[in-house]
Amino acid sequence: MTATAPLAERVLRGEQGALARALTLVERRAPGCDEVVAELHRAAGRAHVIGVTGPPGSGKSTLVAAMAAEYRRAGRTVGIIAVDPSSVFTGGAILGDRIRMSELAGDRGVFIRSFATRGALGGLARVALDAVTVLDAAGRDIVVLETVGVGQAEVDVVSGAQSVAVVSVPGLGDGVQAIKAGLLEIADVHVVNKADREGAHRTVSELREMLRLSRRRPGQWNVPVEQTVAHSGEGVPDLIERFDEHMTWMAGNGERERRARRAAATRIRWAAEELVRGRLRPGSPAFDAAVDEVAGKRDDPAAAARRLLEQL
């Protein structure tokens, strides 16, 4: 038994303190992190992981809180990973999602953890996928992964979620924001939040028209468009029902396994990138020697990079 095994065992028993400690270990990439995640990875895979993405101001955090409350009324436990943007100067984050979800704080059936992006592109902190594994292994029925809300670049959520909700909102003066840069394609459910606002029906119509015009394969999931008013909970039960229907559909046609392979491929690639970055950094003799060669025009960057990788 490794020194880190007791922590993993306590997480598997669902202990709140151990869960918080394991997530801190993951966030800091502290020594022993990989061993704990490896232990938990073998027990994970039971939770329904839902990604919630969309532009800033669409009410994602309020919607996630309303979803969690609805799941709790049904007796299901929930883990929430909320990714907040980092300061480019300090690397810190406000982590405001914890404030917006404060009404859930007293419920032991809900565990909320915020992470800063720390420079990760695509709206998703890389540690978030390890955090999903921790919450999944701890026995949470639902794990919600709420991304940072960067808009057009925010498609990395598909790497860690089984069901993806793209949240739009009427009245932002930009038509259907979900049309942009792949957001339309990644949605398993489109959500028009703040549907009590003027223009909501137009947004719904535009989304449905875009979905009608998109190319669909035989047997493909029929992406629904749901309307919600998150602050009152209106429409949230229907949204939860769509997620359940999507999970049933995935289980019936092998899509769940395909998405699990996609998530595994992404995590392997990201782990490899972290290992390479850790080995190839200024200050190491081989790297500095390569910099000298390229700066002196005695070598080119691509050849120097290949040689360094071969040395690894």
Side-chain angles (χ1 to χ4, degrees), residues 298-311:
R298 295 181 295 275
D299 202 355
D300 66 273
R306 284 193 296 269
R307 188 169 60 257
L308 286 171
L309 288 175
E310 289 169 359
Q311 292 173 6

Side-chain angles (χ1 to χ4, degrees), residues 17-32:
L19 184 52
R21 183 180 170 193
L23 290 171
T24 298
L25 199 70
V26 164
E27 182 178 24
R28 296 177 179 173
R29 312 308 296 174

Side-chain angles (χ1 to χ4, degrees), residues 54-311:
S58 56
K60 295 188 299 297
S61 296
T62 306
L63 180 62
V64 168
M67 288 167 52
E70 186 63 28
Y71 277 123
R72 291 299 295 137
R73 280 189 283 272
R76 291 193 265 185
T77 56
V78 182
I80 299 172
I81 300 296
V83 184
D84 278 333
S86 303
S87 165
V88 296
F89 300 106
T90 66
I94 297 175
L95 305 182
D97 289 320
R98 290 188 185 180
I99 300 170
R100 288 187 285 271
M101 300 180 192
S102 58
E103 66 273 14
L104 300 171
D107 187 345
R108 291 183 63 83
V110 179
F111 195 100
I112 305 168
R113 186 62 178 254
S114 297
F115 290 102
T117 56
R118 301 187 188 277
L121 299 177
L124 184 66
R126 294 184 175 183
V127 297
L129 298 190
D130 282 347
V132 167
T133 295
V134 173
L135 288 168
D136 186 348
R140 299 287 151 164
D141 299 314
I142 307 294
V143 178
V144 181
L145 183 57
E146 182 204 338
T147 66
V148 69
V150 296
Q152 298 182 35
E154 192 170 348
V155 295
D156 272 356
V157 67
V158 300
S159 300
Q162 296 162 324
S163 302
V164 177
V166 174
V167 184
S168 302
V169 63
L172 289 186
D174 201 14
V176 178
Q177 305 89 19
I179 294 173
K180 298 179 178 179
L183 280 183
L184 181 73
E185 288 81 5
I186 71 169
D188 298 305
V189 180
H190 276 289
V191 184
V192 178
N193 192 31
K194 304 182 183 180
D196 52 346
R197 285 186 176 183
E198 183 179 354
H201 292 298
R202 179 184 174 186
T203 303
V204 170
S205 297
E206 289 175 344
L207 278 169
R208 286 178 175 160
E209 181 64 15
M210 289 299 300
L211 290 168
R212 188 184 68 82
L213 295 173
S214 63
R215 297 178 180 177
R216 297 185 68 251
R217 299 183 304 274
Q220 186 175 345
W221 166 252
N222 188 23
V223 178
V225 180
E226 294 294 323
Q227 299 182 63
T228 61
V229 182
H231 67 83
S232 69
E234 182 181 342
V236 175
D238 290 337
L239 176 61
I240 297 302
E241 190 174 337
R242 299 294 88 75
F243 288 137
D244 289 343
E245 290 171 357
H246 184 245
M247 177 60 91
T248 300
W249 175 82
M250 286 192 297
N253 67 3
E255 183 64 20
R256 186 171 185 177
E257 290 74 18
R258 285 191 287 273
R259 297 196 180 198
R261 287 186 59 82
R262 180 178 65 190
T266 298
R267 295 184 66 176
I268 291 170
R269 176 171 54 84
W270 283 359
E273 289 173 358
E274 286 185 359
L275 289 171
V276 170
R277 279 199 306 272
R279 297 281 296 275
L280 298 181
R281 55 187 174 190
S284 67
F287 187 86
D288 288 348
V291 170
D292 291 339
E293 292 295 306
V294 172
K297 310 301 181 184
R298 295 181 295 275
D299 202 355
D300 66 273
R306 284 193 296 269
R307 188 169 60 257
L308 286 171
L309 288 175
E310 289 169 359
Q311 292 173 6

